Amino acid sequence: MRIPRPRSLAGQLFAVQAVLIAVVVAGCALFAYFTAGEQAEETARRQATAVATSVADAPYVARAVRAEDPTKLLQPWTERVRKDAGVAFVVVMDTDKTRYTHTNPSAIGKKYLGHIGPALRGEVFHETHRGTLGPSVRVVAPVRDGGKVVALVSSGITVETISGGLRRQMLSLIAVAAAALALGGLGTYVINARLRRHTHGMNAAELSRLHDYHQAALHAVREGLLLLDGRRAVALINDGARELLGLTGDAVGRPVADLGLPAPLTGALLSPAPRVDELHLTADRVIVVNTAPVDDGEQRGTMVTLRDHTELQALSGELDSVRGFAEALRSQAHEAANRLHTVVSLIELGRADEAVEFATAELELAQALTDRVVGAVGEPVLAALLLGKAAQANEYGVELTLTEDSGIDDGLLPGWLPARDLVTVLGNLIDNAIDAAAGGRPAGEPGRVVVTVRATDGELLLRVADSGPGVDPGRTEEIFRRGWTTKAAGPTVHGRGLGLAIVRQTVRRHGGTVTLERAPEGGAAFAVRLPLRTELPA
């Protein structure tokens, strides 16, 4: 047997609201019924009282009851009063209950069915009593003559007449109640139909389960997830996005412009156009940003995904360096083969002395550079980087030299300053310097790159100067922004203008500074200063 699926949330709400409306309408109808009944009886009592007292107070009645035939005088008159007043009967009787008048002429002369005690004492009273016309609401009033009660007047309206009027009122009330129930049900159906579309017909348990899954998935995803509403305020953010963007506190409800993010990243998040795999920099990370509008014919918001690209960017830079080293080694191997052939050819020609001189000259030049770097830079990672970059520079006709005052002992760098970050900073600066020197040298003259690596006075100085065209001083701040580059193509172009931006990001993360000035060689000189303290910077 197929287990019935629980009613959807919209269906449950519709049923509850329909029952609630029915109960409210029924309650109002019952209240109106009893209220209307009481009001109808009270109205009938007042009407009967007015008729009875008016007839009893009429001087004509007091004179007529003293006549030889009161009925002849009073019956036509009371019938006219009864019809004009709209009551069921007007009875004039003697103090012993003998009727002088009645709606039914056959009842004249007979005894009145009801109580008259209070009226004999001069009081006007009312009661509900069964008479010849059936149950009725009646009022009995005394007729006085000279202060003495000489007769009684009873006027009343039958309960059937009152009930008939009440039934007519109740039919109208039922019609109004039915209309209210129908309109309430229709409005509830329309509202719940809309709710059913928004909840996709799911019941409360399914919605609760979906919310739990949503929360679990939101916080389990390592990538950053950010949802912006139509006002470009944060509607939803997971833990990964908080970490990648460096946000603290409750970011939900805050406009993107107030999050304190870098201007390019803020512009990308505020843009209505979708963004695909854009690289952006925060204070200490490189992130990949993807945005997609959320709309159904009108702009509802923006879905943003963030991926950490910091490690990948560093590895990409190292891979580019390794690729450059491989190219330099390939070129050197080819050059070495040419030189070996030259030495062999000189020996075959019987010029052994010239062959030895040629070979030793090349060895001395290469060995001198190696000895200079190894002697000045005791840190093996930096020494290897400088030797590789020197070979790479030579490949492009650029002379890379190390200044005489350079020097850094092995083990001097603190443990919290990773060698990878030093490679990122110095490698990017040297790559940019090689590009500038290779592209800006006059014909026939080698370009020059001068590197200073020095650790003194608790500070690590990395300085790279080139003989290129230099940088406009007015663009000093601009060159450190993501995407800035002066190269359309070149031997070491990579990262699409991220090199200098990553350099500044890395330096700031370690509490250092990077400055730009004019180099004595004519080009640009970048100087990075990192504090060599023993503790990790806060």
Side-chain angles (χ1 to χ4, degrees):
M1 183 178 70
R2 182 170 178 262
I3 299 177
R5 181 174 179 270
R7 186 186 295 272
S8 68
L9 178 61
Q12 295 177 20
L13 289 177
F14 175 73
V16 171
Q17 291 172 345
V19 171
L20 181 61
I21 291 175
V23 170
V24 171
V25 170
C28 292
L30 289 175
F31 175 77
Y33 172 78
F34 289 112
T35 302
E38 293 176 358
Q39 290 178 347
E41 187 173 344
E42 179 64 21
T43 301
R45 187 178 301 113
R46 291 178 180 178
Q47 184 178 0
T49 300
V51 173
T53 55
S54 297
V55 172
D57 291 340
Y60 177 76
V61 175
R63 292 194 302 270
V65 296
R66 291 196 303 269
E68 293 182 1
D69 190 0
T71 300
K72 182 178 179 182
L73 298 176
L74 294 174
Q75 177 67 11
W77 183 74
T78 55
E79 280 299 296
R80 287 197 303 272
V81 171
R82 179 186 67 81
K83 293 177 181 178
D84 292 342
V87 293
F89 60 88
V90 176
V91 175
V92 180
M93 71 190 84
D94 197 355
T95 55
D96 61 357
K97 290 188 176 182
T98 302
R99 300 189 186 98
Y100 293 140
T101 64
H102 196 277
T103 302
N104 183 4
S106 62
I108 296 174
K110 297 180 179 180
K111 296 295 183 178
Y112 172 77
L113 303 179
H115 302 92
I116 62 172
L120 291 176
R121 295 193 297 269
E123 301 175 6
V124 177
F125 76 98
H126 62 82
E127 65 175 346
T128 301
H129 193 79
R130 174 177 291 276
T132 57
L133 300 179
S136 61
V137 175
R138 58 184 63 185
V139 175
V140 180
V143 179
R144 293 182 176 85
D145 185 14
K148 180 181 178 181
V149 177
V150 297
L152 303 173
V153 177
S154 176
S155 175
I157 301 176
T158 60
V159 173
E160 179 62 27
T161 301
I162 298 174
S163 299
L166 184 59
R167 281 194 297 270
R168 289 191 295 272
Q169 294 181 9
M170 286 306 303
L171 288 176
S172 301
L173 179 62
I174 291 173
V176 172
L181 181 61
L183 289 176
L186 179 61
T188 302
Y189 176 79
V190 171
I191 293 173
N192 284 275
R194 182 179 179 84
L195 179 62
R196 190 180 298 111
R197 288 197 302 271
H198 287 299
T199 59
H200 302 284
M202 290 187 289
N203 57 44
E206 291 171 333
L207 286 173
S208 177
R209 187 163 55 250
L210 180 63
H211 176 267
D212 293 339
Y213 292 159
H214 168 270
Q215 290 296 316
L218 182 66
H219 295 289
V221 174
R222 294 185 59 190
E223 287 75 14
L225 180 63
L226 186 66
L227 181 61
L228 307 179
D229 59 22
R231 299 179 294 107
R232 293 297 188 274
V234 178
L236 183 70
I237 185 170
N238 71 344
D239 299 336
R242 293 178 189 274
E243 181 180 357
L244 291 176
L245 297 178
L247 300 178
T248 58
D250 188 7
V252 176
R254 294 170 57 188
V256 171
D258 296 341
L259 296 180
L261 302 177
L265 178 56
T266 300
L269 297 180
L270 292 177
S271 173
R275 303 297 180 98
V276 179
D277 290 341
E278 281 193 2
L279 289 177
H280 287 272
L281 274 74
T282 63
D284 56 357
R285 293 181 185 272
V286 180
I287 60 176
V288 180
V289 178
N290 286 273
T291 68
V294 178
D295 58 55
D296 54 356
E298 62 182 40
Q299 186 72 22
R300 295 288 186 183
T302 303
M303 176 67 72
V304 182
T305 59
L306 309 169
R307 298 198 309 273
D308 192 354
H309 202 259
T310 308
E311 294 295 324
L312 183 59
Q313 188 66 33
L315 292 174
S316 176
E318 292 181 11
L319 180 61
D320 287 340
S321 297
V322 171
R323 186 181 294 113
F325 296 160
E327 288 294 324
L329 290 174
R330 181 195 60 76
S331 177
Q332 287 184 341
H334 180 72
E335 187 65 21
N338 290 336
R339 292 168 183 169
L340 181 59
H341 286 307
T342 301
V343 172
V344 171
S345 298
L346 287 173
I347 293 175
E348 289 177 347
L349 292 174
R351 298 183 177 183
D353 294 338
E354 295 180 14
V356 172
E357 182 181 355
F358 178 80
T360 55
E362 292 297 327
L363 287 174
E364 288 175 357
L365 182 61
Q367 189 62 40
L369 178 61
T370 301
D371 292 343
R372 176 77 188 91
V373 172
V374 174
V377 182
E379 180 65 36
V381 175
L382 290 181
L385 174 68
L386 289 171
L387 289 175
K389 291 300 182 182
Q392 185 178 351
N394 186 64
E395 173 72 13
Y396 298 111
V398 175
E399 179 185 357
L400 189 149
T401 60
L402 195 64
T403 60
E404 293 294 334
D405 60 345
S406 295
I408 178 171
D409 296 331
D410 188 13
L412 182 62
L413 299 181
W416 55 262
L417 186 58
R420 172 180 291 182
D421 287 350
L422 294 179
V423 170
T424 297
V425 172
L426 190 56
N428 274 293
L429 292 179
I430 293 177
D431 284 342
N432 287 339
I434 292 174
D435 286 330
R441 70 180 188 272
E445 293 184 13
R448 294 188 62 200
V449 173
V450 180
V451 179
T452 301
V453 180
R454 185 173 67 245
T456 57
D457 300 329
E459 180 182 78
L460 175 63
L461 172 64
L462 305 176
R463 186 177 185 276
V464 179
D466 62 70
S467 59
V471 178
D472 182 0
R475 305 179 68 183
T476 300
E477 185 63 28
E478 180 183 352
I479 65 174
F480 289 105
R481 289 206 303 264
R482 180 192 67 84
W484 184 89
T485 180
T486 60
K487 308 178 290 290
T492 61
V493 173
H494 59 82
R496 298 181 182 179
L498 276 174
L500 290 176
I502 293 177
V503 166
R504 184 166 70 168
Q505 181 191 74
T506 305
V507 170
R508 285 181 172 178
R509 187 166 64 247
H510 294 295
T513 61
V514 55
T515 58
L516 169 64
E517 57 187 17
R518 191 72 175 178
E521 292 77 13
F526 289 89
V528 172
R529 288 178 170 80
L530 295 171
L532 293 179
R533 46 180 172 262
T534 57
E535 73 278 4
L536 182 67

